[in-house]
Amino acid sequence: MEPVPPKREFRAVWVTTLNGLDWPKTKATSAAARAQQQAELCQLLDQLKAVGINTVLLQTRVRGSVIYPSAIEPWDIALTGTYGQDPGYDPLAFAIAEAHRRGMELHAWVVTIPAFKQAVARQMGPRSVLKTHPELCRRHNDMYYLDPGLPGTADYLARLCHEIVSRYDIDGLHFDYIRYPEGATSFNDAATFKTYAAKGISKAVWRRDNITRIVRRIYEDTHALKPWVRVSSAPVGKYADVARFSSRGWNARDAVHQDAEGWLRLGIHDILFPMMYFDGNHFYPFAADWQEQCASRHVAPGLGIYFLHPQEKDWPLGIVQRQLHYLRERGLSGQCYFRSKFLTDNVKGLYDYLRTDFYAYPALPPACPWL
């Protein structure tokens, strides 16, 4: 017996603007090109609506640059081919209006701690965070990052989020990379730790507290402005080791100091979309753990549908189908797809399967009765 499809579940997708991966393909350098860029987004939203998607996570802050006219950071390069160049319209306002016209929620996806690659720092112009707040930036591998241990980092990110929430009719605010970077052991924050850590606290606990403090600050600011806006994030896909399975050293809590389950318990998050881009014993026990520790809030795992592509892992469709059925049977709050191009391109027939079978009936996004 197939379970009855739920009346409410997140059917969400990440739409990536970084390098125009999902959108835009056309650079808005003339009136005709601008109209083409807008038409591309409308076509994408039509395809998502037709398959049953009800929640679009649109990448709004990309890498220290944004897709709306900001008083804080420059325009992103994907819009026109040049950092800081105005595309001649407000893509975020346009996307919100078009999503709402189709009955879909739009959540502003904000990449938080990473700024940009060192190689592009010069192209970013005078409004880059490296110019406006050099004291907040740390070099790590080939990137600049904000240092989460500095009080100014929480202030800076809170200002950016305030700008988005106060000016736009978004349904949600979605954090990405709200954590320390990969290879966190070599992240250059020894001086910050020495200055700001309480006596006797371990660096790991201090770092976790720093990220939680940023999350709390923006959660409380957002709900003071607009109590109905849902705050979410995309944590690393395994929270921590579970009783019978190791995370093999890659997890949210210990590797990158991201206490995502704690945020649900503390009531400073409404939804988690953990990036569960795995299969087998790397997926199922950890999905169960997210659900068991959800503290009556929402968890809708992110599925790595890009692995269906022959140039990625060439997964058979059955892997994603099994994951979908498992999440629904376990009573999780839905699912999210990374990323939209692999869905709309119908890789391995996923789009057809969802439209005719798994999403045969429409669903509303789940309610958040605590808001």
Side-chain angles (χ1 to χ4, degrees):
M1 249 314 259
E2 283 281 307
V4 177
K7 184 179 169 182
R8 290 182 179 270
E9 67 178 353
F10 287 108
R11 298 174 178 181
V13 64
W14 281 285
V15 174
T16 308
T17 54
L18 175 70
N19 302 327
L21 283 171
D22 293 321
W23 177 79
K25 295 286 172 250
T26 306
K27 306 284 182 242
T29 51
S30 67
R34 184 186 318 135
Q36 175 61 28
Q37 187 176 92
Q38 293 174 333
E40 281 172 13
L41 185 63
C42 291
Q43 185 193 354
L44 170 59
L45 293 173
D46 283 341
Q47 288 178 284
L48 296 175
K49 163 97 177 143
V51 78
I53 292 297
N54 59 27
T55 304
V56 175
L57 309 179
L58 177 67
Q59 195 170 30
T60 298
R61 183 189 192 230
V62 189
R63 292 284 185 281
S65 49
V66 295
I67 64 160
Y68 66 92
S70 168
I72 303 166
E73 290 194 325
W75 287 103
D76 186 62
I77 190 171
L79 297 166
T80 61
T82 307
Y83 282 110
Q85 187 177 327
D86 187 338
Y89 75 111
D90 183 336
L92 180 56
F94 180 79
I96 292 165
E98 292 299 326
H100 287 172
R101 183 172 296 154
R102 290 163 178 79
M104 293 188 285
E105 290 199 356
L106 192 131
H107 296 215
W109 160 13
V110 174
V111 177
T112 52
I113 301 302
F116 34 77
K117 282 193 155 59
Q118 291 179 43
V120 305
R122 277 207 192 90
Q123 300 169 40
M124 298 293 295
R127 312 231 342 268
S128 95
V129 66
L130 191 59
K131 291 279 185 2
T132 60
H133 290 281
E135 75 285 356
L136 300 181
C137 300
R138 298 285 177 267
R139 290 208 309 218
H140 178 74
N141 299 333
D142 64 341
M143 294 268 300
Y144 284 101
Y145 291 85
L146 300 177
D147 182 345
L150 293 169
T153 291
D155 295 339
Y156 184 78
L157 290 172
R159 273 177 58 220
L160 260 175
C161 291
H162 187 281
E163 183 175 65
I164 296 167
V165 175
S166 63
R167 282 174 45 194
Y168 294 94
D169 184 22
I170 54 170
D171 302 287
L173 184 65
H174 176 69
F175 306 133
D176 191 13
Y177 281 95
I178 184 100
R179 58 179 174 85
Y180 280 78
E182 285 91 325
T185 40
S186 62
F187 185 71
N188 174 22
D189 61 352
T192 314
F193 180 61
K194 200 172 160 187
T195 307
Y196 291 101
K199 236 183 176 56
I201 193 172
S202 76
K203 195 169 202 181
V205 169
W206 172 75
R207 281 177 164 180
R208 256 200 307 276
D209 288 349
N210 292 335
I211 299 295
T212 296
R213 190 182 69 249
I214 296 169
V215 169
R216 181 188 294 280
R217 166 81 182 272
I218 301 172
Y219 187 87
E220 290 174 352
D221 281 6
T222 296
H223 288 138
L225 264 175
K226 292 184 179 175
W228 60 89
V229 170
R230 274 89 78 75
V231 176
S232 68
S233 63
V236 168
K238 301 170 184 178
Y239 173 67
D241 294 345
V242 295
R244 291 174 54 207
F245 295 95
S246 166
S247 60
R248 311 264 178 109
W250 179 240
N251 67 53
R253 187 189 67 192
D254 305 315
V256 291
H257 313 292
Q258 184 179 45
D259 187 16
E261 287 182 355
W263 305 337
L264 298 178
R265 281 194 297 275
L266 289 167
I268 54 172
H269 245 56
D270 304 311
I271 315 156
L272 291 177
F273 296 100
M275 300 180 289
M276 301 198 68
Y277 310 157
F278 321 106
D279 190 37
N281 289 336
H282 291 283
F283 180 89
Y284 295 96
F286 296 95
D289 177 62
W290 286 115
Q291 190 219 9
E292 286 159 8
Q293 305 301 326
C294 74
S296 301
R297 301 246 162 151
H298 294 303
V299 178
L303 304 183
I305 60 167
Y306 63 104
F307 284 147
L308 294 167
H309 198 280
Q311 289 174 331
E312 290 284 348
K313 292 194 174 176
D314 203 17
W315 276 1
L317 180 60
I319 287 182
V320 174
Q321 288 173 317
R322 279 193 296 277
Q323 292 181 351
L324 287 167
H325 281 278
Y326 177 81
L327 297 177
R328 193 176 270 179
E329 282 159 22
R330 285 281 319 204
L332 281 103
S333 296
Q335 55 287 135
C336 194
Y337 301 98
F338 187 78
R339 53 189 176 77
S340 76
K341 185 171 163 47
F342 297 93
L343 179 58
T344 54
D345 283 359
N346 197 26
V347 178
K348 296 276 169 78
L350 174 64
Y351 186 95
D352 291 342
Y353 168 70
L354 292 175
R355 191 170 50 87
T356 59
D357 189 321
F358 200 70
Y359 291 165
Y361 300 95
L364 297 164
C368 295
W370 55 89
L371 290 184

